[in-house]
Amino acid sequence: MRLAEACADPNLLGPIFSPAESWRPSRTLLRALDALPRDAYDAELFSRCAGDRPWPTKPVHTLVDISGRRSGKSARAAAMATWEAVQDYQDVVARGERVRVMVIAADRAQARVVFGYICAHFELPMLAPLVERRLEERLYLTNGVVVEVHTPSFRSVRGYTVVCAVLDEIAFWRGDESSANPDTEIVAALRPAMATVPGARFIVTSTPYWRRGWLFEMYERHFGKDGGVLVWQAPTTVMNPSLDLRIVEDALREDEPRARAEWFAEFRTDVEAFVSLETVRECVVSGRVELPGMRGTAYRAFTDPSGGSADSWTLAIGHRQRDGRIVVDALRERRAPFAPSEVAAEYAALCRAYGIHEVVGDRYAGEWPREAFATNGVRYVPSERNKSELYQALLPVLNGRGLELPDNPRLIAQLVSLERIVSRGGRDSIDHPKRTHDDLANAVAGLVSICSQPRNFPEFQGQWTERHEDFEVVFSTNDGLEFARSRTTPPNRCGPSTARRGGDESRARRGRGGPGWSETRRGLDRVSRALIAPSRINNKTPLSERQKGATQCPFSTRTRSTRTSHS
């Protein structure tokens, strides 16, 4: 007996597929899988939903069911899994081994939907005697088969002998964020587990989404083509004639691109991948975790705060090199749950270790991040750009290979999973998919943004004083501005660096840039009484001999843009 015949038998699966007229399209699909004779209705529907490929002449063991919502995909997959579970596999298993029927979905709760259908089948009088015992996510049968729930992880599906695998809603898998392509890797891990079982059935069901991933690749490669893979694409109204058409019409009026994917099983053209995996990997420095802070390097920091209950709190620290490449030196993540005050203190200490006293972040939770960092001696500045704008600025840097990323699998997975969605108004929006996170990606995008922007600030005129600190000469004006020059760099090599005092400390900013200018925060408590113009600096002259009268600063008041970004 074949599966399609079992679904029509009132003593087997017939009661599940009733009323018969509503499930007739599903029975056509099952008949095609087993290469059973067809009638005119079957031939017409098969041509419509399977493309131009001929009716199978032998059983097909790989089914890719791309159908709309509420079309019975999960019920069909459960029937196929049940039928494969009741077969005899004594010839293909070793003594003491149990073979598996795996049900895999985006999460355990979703996988339990198909698992519940399978358990309901084994409550029928003809199948109930096969049940040995039932657990919450596992069903043991007397023939040595175990039906169990799995999550999408290519690690957890290894080591088993699998007679049937059901992959539900594969287009929406995002894995555990440690893998950039969980669907492809899970399929690759499952194939060897099924290789020693003749006729092992591979069942994939999903509503389509964007034009990428394993599902779209199989659609492009096998739809309408003869072979061992049957790709079935059908609207909800075809597979479920009892659905109220007004629901579909209302969805089309509200959002046509989304409705055509949800109800008509069409891949969306308004959703694209933000960046390819290959592009991201070319920016990753293999084996790099974190770089220590270097003296004389201007570091910047961007943070993506979190309240500690759901999302992670991330921090990215980096700098821009002279050749324009942006380097992510440190990338930290604290996953929920955590105490926000402790993380703020930890990240503030890390920023100070890199000589950073100002961190940029999003506008999360109003004034709370500003107060948390201020308590630990670091100024928090809200970003002027929203998340989507940060990602738009990140893309050309990634494509131009102008970024060095640490070897962080979670970061890579988050960048690759980002989606570019075109709204009905034609505006692009970049964000992470539902039930996923982008905290690390957002921190890196923010860091790239602030490292790429020129720093515009006014220079000054007025009276000023001078002091010596280690290898630098620090000049301070009477109104609180100060700048510093390396004692080893001639004055005509570059312009001054300025900073305005804020409380007990001042925030230094570099001028036009060059190897001789420092960028650290300084207090004004050690300013000497010496008053001298930069053009008259002579490091070999004793300080007492250089005490001259106040002079006018020789620099103009126009705005100057830096080529590098600094703290």
Side-chain angles (χ1 to χ4, degrees):
M1 179 178 289
R2 299 288 188 175
L3 173 59
E5 299 169 342
C7 292
D9 191 330
N11 297 318
L12 291 173
L13 300 179
I16 304 296
F17 291 92
S18 62
E21 188 62 28
S22 176
W23 289 98
R24 186 176 182 184
S26 295
R27 290 199 301 273
T28 296
L29 173 57
L30 299 180
R31 292 175 66 85
L33 280 179
D34 289 331
L36 296 177
R38 65 189 186 277
D39 56 20
Y41 175 85
D42 295 336
E44 191 276 333
L45 182 62
F46 185 84
S47 176
R48 178 178 177 179
C49 299
D52 298 329
R53 66 164 292 166
W55 185 270
T57 57
K58 58 182 180 180
V60 178
H61 301 296
T62 300
L63 168 66
V64 181
D65 186 356
I66 307 173
S67 301
R69 299 286 294 274
R70 315 310 303 171
S71 60
K73 299 186 299 295
S74 298
R76 290 191 294 272
M80 299 179 212
T82 300
W83 191 248
E84 298 301 324
V86 300
Q87 306 302 314
D88 185 8
Y89 298 101
Q90 295 300 319
D91 296 337
V92 297
V93 297
R95 180 175 298 179
E97 181 184 14
R98 283 182 175 269
V99 296
R100 259 66 177 181
V101 172
M102 288 189 176
V103 180
I104 309 174
D107 53 42
R108 291 188 176 276
Q110 190 173 5
R112 282 196 291 266
V113 174
V114 177
F115 180 74
Y117 289 149
I118 296 174
C119 292
H121 296 165
F122 282 96
E123 294 175 359
L124 298 172
M126 290 286 291
L127 300 180
L130 295 175
V131 177
E132 181 178 312
R133 59 185 170 129
R134 176 181 173 179
L135 303 179
E136 183 179 3
E137 295 181 345
R138 195 167 294 158
L139 182 67
Y140 290 87
L141 303 181
T142 57
N143 61 348
V145 175
V146 181
V147 183
E148 59 187 12
V149 167
H150 281 260
T151 52
S153 170
F154 67 93
R155 300 179 181 88
S156 64
V157 299
R158 297 174 180 270
Y160 300 100
T161 299
V162 181
V163 299
C164 178
V166 177
L167 283 59
D168 193 27
E169 297 293 352
I170 193 174
F172 302 92
W173 287 9
R174 293 295 179 266
D176 57 0
E177 295 189 353
S178 64
S179 170
N181 48 356
D183 51 357
T184 303
E185 294 180 1
I186 293 171
V187 171
L190 277 173
R191 291 296 193 187
M194 307 173 71
T196 58
V197 182
R201 186 146 279 176
F202 195 73
I203 306 163
V204 180
T205 67
S206 185
T207 302
Y209 191 53
W210 56 8
R211 294 173 175 263
R212 62 171 292 183
W214 186 88
L215 184 71
F216 183 70
E217 291 175 3
M218 295 296 288
Y219 173 80
E220 289 278 279
R221 190 182 308 166
H222 296 288
F223 182 72
K225 299 177 182 178
D226 194 11
V229 178
L230 173 59
V231 178
W232 183 271
Q233 185 183 31
T236 303
T237 53
V238 172
M239 301 304 294
N240 184 7
S242 62
L243 181 72
D244 189 349
L245 295 180
R246 290 176 296 182
I247 299 176
V248 179
E249 294 171 355
D250 292 342
L252 286 172
R253 283 192 295 267
E254 293 174 1
D255 190 338
E256 183 174 353
R258 178 180 286 112
R260 299 201 70 84
E262 298 281 13
W263 301 106
F264 291 87
E266 299 177 3
F267 286 92
R268 296 185 65 165
T269 58
D270 63 324
V271 178
E272 299 178 358
F274 169 68
V275 66
S276 67
L277 176 61
E278 292 73 19
T279 298
V280 175
R281 282 180 172 168
E282 288 183 8
C283 296
V284 173
V285 181
S286 180
R288 176 181 293 179
V289 178
E290 193 168 289
L291 296 176
M294 302 295 292
R295 181 179 177 84
T297 302
Y299 293 98
R300 305 298 305 278
F302 189 97
T303 184
D304 183 8
S306 168
S309 59
D311 294 334
S312 298
W313 188 341
T314 56
L315 173 71
I317 295 176
H319 70 281
R320 184 173 181 176
Q321 298 177 331
R322 295 182 185 178
D323 59 2
R325 289 178 62 85
I326 297 173
V327 179
V328 180
D329 295 88
L331 184 63
R332 298 289 180 88
E333 178 185 20
R334 284 290 295 272
R335 301 193 198 183
F338 54 80
S341 58
E342 295 179 1
V343 179
E346 174 188 339
Y347 285 174
L350 181 64
C351 288
R352 292 195 301 270
Y354 281 85
I356 300 172
H357 294 266
E358 178 181 286
V359 61
V360 182
D362 59 21
R363 300 180 182 275
Y364 171 85
E367 291 295 319
W368 177 84
R370 190 195 307 268
E371 297 172 356
F373 276 100
T375 303
N376 295 278
V378 176
R379 183 186 180 196
Y380 182 90
V381 179
S383 174
E384 298 179 355
R385 295 181 173 181
N386 59 35
K387 182 189 297 187
S388 184
E389 292 170 341
L390 293 177
Y391 287 138
Q392 290 175 358
L394 173 64
L395 184 59
V397 180
L398 286 172
N399 290 334
R401 312 306 188 264
L403 179 63
E404 292 185 8
L405 296 172
D407 195 351
N408 188 313
R410 285 175 59 82
L411 170 64
I412 298 172
Q414 290 181 12
L415 287 172
V416 173
S417 67
L418 292 174
E419 300 175 348
R420 181 194 296 271
I421 302 176
V422 182
S423 65
R424 283 176 288 182
R427 185 175 181 179
D428 282 356
S429 175
I430 303 172
D431 204 350
H432 62 89
K434 294 181 179 179
R435 298 190 301 273
T436 64
H437 300 277
D438 66 341
D439 308 296
L440 288 170
N442 188 30
V444 170
L447 176 66
V448 171
S449 176
I450 60 177
C451 286
S452 301
Q453 294 176 1
R455 301 286 296 276
N456 296 324
F457 55 90
E459 296 179 1
F460 62 91
Q461 288 183 337
Q463 295 180 341
W464 55 278
T465 60
E466 170 248 336
R467 74 180 185 272
H468 289 235
E469 287 188 1
D470 296 331
F471 299 99
E472 296 175 336
V473 181
V474 181
F475 304 94
S476 304
T477 65
N478 294 338
D479 62 353
L481 291 171
E482 70 173 12
F483 59 93
R485 173 173 293 149
S486 170
R487 299 173 65 181
T488 61
T489 303
N492 59 356
R493 288 282 298 275
C494 50
S497 176
T498 63
R500 183 168 299 277
R501 179 170 55 184
D504 294 334
E505 294 181 325
S506 59
R507 179 163 50 93
R509 293 179 175 178
R510 182 179 292 187
R512 186 169 295 277
W517 293 89
S518 69
E519 299 179 79
T520 58
R521 292 166 60 92
R522 311 178 184 281
L524 298 180
D525 55 334
R526 296 174 53 206
V527 178
S528 71
R529 298 294 182 181
L531 303 175
I532 189 169
S535 59
R536 301 182 62 182
I537 291 178
N538 183 351
N539 294 327
K540 296 182 180 180
T541 304
L543 180 61
S544 60
E545 297 182 12
R546 289 186 275 120
Q547 292 180 350
K548 308 294 182 180
T551 183
Q552 194 78 3
C553 178
F555 302 107
S556 66
T557 58
R558 69 175 182 272
T559 299
R560 181 175 291 172
S561 299
T562 64
R563 295 183 179 180
T564 57
S565 299
H566 316 289
S567 58

